[in-house]
Amino acid sequence: MVAALGAVPTVLWAAASSAAAGGALDPAAGSGYAEFSNAFTGSAKNVDISRFENGVSVLPGTYNVDIFVNEGRVSRQNMEFRAVEGMKNAQPCFTYAELLQMGVDVGKLDPARINAQNTCIAIGDVSPDATATMDMGELRLNVSIPQASLLKHARGYVSPALWDQGETAFLLGYNFNAYSINQSYSGPRASGGNAIGTDGTPVQVQGSTLYTLGPGGAYVPSATGNYMLSNNGTYVPVQIGSYTPAQAGGYSYNDINAYLGLNLGFNIAGWRVRSVETAQWDQKTGRTNWHNFNTTATHDITQWKAQFTVGDSYTQGIVFDTTPFRGITIYSDDRMLPDSQQGFAPVVRGVANTQARVEVRQNGNLLLETTVAPGPFVINDLYSTGYGGDLTVTVFEADGTMHTFTVPYSAVPMLLRPGVSRWAITDGQVRDTTLRNGMPYFVEGTYQRGINNWLTLYGGVQSTYRDLYHSYLGGAAVNTPIGAFALDVTNSHTTFKGAGGSLSGYSSRLSYSKAIPTSGTTLAVASYRYSNDNFLTLSDAVQTQDQLTSLHSTNWAAPVVLRAKQRIQVTLNQDFGGKYGQLYFNGSRNTYWNGMPDATTYQLGYSNSYRRVNFGITASRTYTSSPAFNGGHYDNQFGLNVSIPLGGPSSRNSPMLSAMVSHDDTMGNNDRVGINGTFGERSQYNYNANVNYTDQGNSNTTASGNLGWQAAYGNLNAGYSYSSHYQQGSVGASGGVVVHGGGITLAPQIDLNSPIAIIEAPDAKGARVSSSGQTRIDGRGYAVATSLMPYRMNDVTLDPASTSMDVELQTTRVQTAPRAGAVVPLKFSTVSGRAALIRAKQPNGDVLPFGAEVIDASGNSVGTVGQGGQMFVRGAEEGGALTVRWGDSDQEQCKVNYQLPPRIKGSAYSMDATTAVCR
């Protein structure tokens, strides 16, 4: 392959008599001879470039172009141009898929000409009024299509015909970690003596009370033999097992643990099989425990915009609480909707008196600007913006007048757009490994429907097969000027097997959210109230029945399962704007029916920055009521953290110095200072080092450090920490493997729930996948592109900066619209061959004319001569011959025979340069 160096720039045209550079256009010259002055080109004579006088000609071939339809960008892709008789420029060939992508209503067109088998559809076949104009300077194809020939779709719409289910492939994501610890401690002995649990946990036993050693060296009391107070002040189940006496005055402990997590996947014929496996190994026991979390098979139901899943999964958790199950489920998939139809945003309705421009703003930010015809208008494709904030709609009339109105907009999770539905149906077996007497079968169905701008209705039903449990839920979500509310009521009825009795109760749930743009305030409140202790969730009912069966009890009212009484959660965020920072507050309170202690937590935080210094203040208060504390117990925590960048604002990979001081009523004072940052050409290495001091128990200073490497085909990390009581070290690795039609390809990470692309770019080793971190094309010409969005057009780009000069990428960007979890093959065309720059002169020493046509040995026109007689050559390993022509006579053409020097080993990343004479 041969290509001329340089592209023809915007041209200053001159008549034949003009000799000065930048000469003025001579109207009398008409469209005849056009030339560049030799002052600009460096040529010995002016060159005829009349083929460019009406702009750069579009020659037949394939070009990588940006496609704009009615001034809106659709995609960037390769487009074939073919010569058409009677037309100076080659015309674009559209495929059926490209017309769908551009939103053409193909159903209205002649099926004999517009069909999937036709690979070259002319723009005139779409509509006599449609046009396609190529801008070679910008590599932009401007397509104009009348609205009557286009489908009316919401913004962000991608035709299901373009959704790609990908190829058959096997996927493996892995996460490995090995952890070694060496502990020794000499501390106070309780009257019951020190002990060590079988899991290595140091404990003290005093009477019937169990104490465990906290990180600060203090022994923390448990509530009972079955519950232990965790560091955040809440009770968690614990099984210590049997105890082995510690050495007198303390203990020592050494162990190595290893963990391997595997995410397995297999795609075939649109089915996506997924399984999660884990393995844990412990040196002390010498045992390896394997565990399967779930295995599922999923397939799209395109017509319903839904997913079908069979295997081990979870219910949606939107209307009812999430329930793990083994069975089948069919549910609507919001991801299949256009971006502008997901979440909640109100429909804007108004009236325009003229051809008007309409602006929709929220908090002063422009969400949408569009032009509407005179009369009523409807805007129903606004993008969702979280909690919301009232919309301000301004109509700018053509006569200069304008009018404004407000549309309330607050959101809660239950709100849907008008006309949008969300549903799910599940049939399966409750999946709970703690159940000892069988897992009951159940069905669940839920449905939500957006009625209008202010109302969404929803409901659901749950029922087990053998009359153990039934529940019914109904509710509504309302969007009002003072905020968004959602209220629902659930009735449950439980009949225990062999107990001779039943429980019936009600639960109510209220949620509220409001965004106040003028003050920068966002408030969200959720409250759950269970009317009496007879209300049970499905999980409560199943566990209670299981325990009653195990105890052979007929007392169905026995409080054998922890049951919630009331729960309230409050989240408040306050942005003071500019230099005044942000404030947040989170609060929650949980109460229970059967005597378990209440739990209340409050968190308050403030963050800001001064110049380049960031700082934050946090405070929290946790209340727990327990006999272990002879009543109520408060745990207060306070903290201050500061981070300072080391280096100037423009310095690259500047490390960050951070410091934190904190106080915890239980754990004491803790001070930490550390430094972290990245290094490497692409910031592929990261590090952190910390020194930590605590005054709890025996005062202790700990030093630790970590080093990580984000490689092209995986991630590695290692860490070490040291104190007077212990030494700890760890190593880890994570990444992914894809087995596909082209072989085996490694990836730094893989999310099996998201689609990926297998990039094939022959000989382009080292090219970086711009959208996937450190990922690069391997030696076989493959790479895995991640972070793709399902059912959306995704741009996948390659950066050829690190490739060999002997390889040319014909395109650096390819688009795809993958289905969820798909493995999509993407081919990047490349041309390989030795690269060289030839500076050619004529026998008399003059450089070759700028703009002269270059023809290869096969007679194909491959480009033009650049300034100074330079030509870029690719493909000939030792040398070759080119013909250069700048006129029709024999005196206006010559032949260049060039010879390249022998290739130096390891020089593939450089370009050879040589000189030649054109004879």
Side-chain angles (χ1 to χ4, degrees), residues 345-361:
V347 174
V348 175
R349 301 178 186 272
V351 177
N353 299 319
T354 63
Q355 184 89 359
R357 178 171 61 90
V358 178
E359 286 186 355
V360 182
R361 293 182 179 270

Side-chain angles (χ1 to χ4, degrees), residues 81 103 318 421 464 510 687 700 731 734:
F81 287 76
I318 299 175
S421 298
T464 58
L510 173 67
Y687 63 90
N700 189 23
V731 293
S734 62

Side-chain angles (χ1 to χ4, degrees), residues 79-221:
M79 178 66 65
E80 181 185 2
F81 287 76
R82 295 184 184 178
V84 177
E85 186 177 353
M87 303 189 73
K88 177 181 178 181
N89 290 322
Q91 297 299 302
C93 284
F94 294 96
T95 65
Y96 188 80
E98 288 164 352
L99 294 184
L100 291 175
Q101 187 176 350
M102 294 189 302
V104 174
D105 188 355
V106 294
K108 295 181 179 180
L109 307 178
D110 182 1
R113 302 183 65 85
I114 310 297
N115 56 70
Q117 287 70 42
N118 190 347
T119 59
C120 188
I121 302 171
I123 192 64
D125 292 335
V126 174
S127 169
D129 298 321
T131 61
T133 305
M134 179 65 180
D135 184 340
M136 289 295 292
E138 297 291 335
L139 284 178
R140 168 172 167 162
L141 181 61
N142 296 302
V143 181
S144 175
I145 302 176
Q147 291 294 330
S149 299
L150 296 175
L151 291 168
K152 174 57 178 175
H153 288 304
R155 288 182 299 155
Y157 173 83
V158 177
S159 172
L162 299 176
W163 296 350
D164 193 342
Q165 73 179 21
E167 64 178 349
T168 300
F170 172 78
L171 304 98
L172 168 65
Y174 63 89
N175 183 9
F176 171 78
N177 185 70
Y179 182 94
S180 172
I181 190 167
N182 183 342
Q183 292 179 332
S184 62
Y185 180 74
S186 299
R189 298 174 60 93
S191 60
N194 291 338
I196 298 177
T198 55
D199 63 348
T201 304
V203 299
Q204 288 185 349
V205 182
Q206 185 172 359
S208 59
T209 303
L210 175 69
Y211 295 80
T212 61
L213 186 68
Y219 285 98
V220 182

Side-chain angles (χ1 to χ4, degrees), residues 618-671:
T618 60
S620 68
R621 181 178 177 88
T622 300
Y623 173 81
T624 304
S625 178
S626 167
F629 298 110
N630 297 318
H633 170 74
Y634 288 96
D635 182 19
N636 300 308
Q637 298 177 341
F638 306 95
L640 169 65
N641 58 82
V642 179
S643 59
I644 306 170
L646 303 179
S650 60
S651 59
R652 187 170 175 268
N653 291 338
S654 294
M656 183 73 71
L657 177 67
S658 60
M660 182 192 73
V661 294
S662 64
H663 169 80
D664 186 304
D665 288 351
T666 301
M667 307 306 300
N669 297 316
N670 191 290
D671 304 323

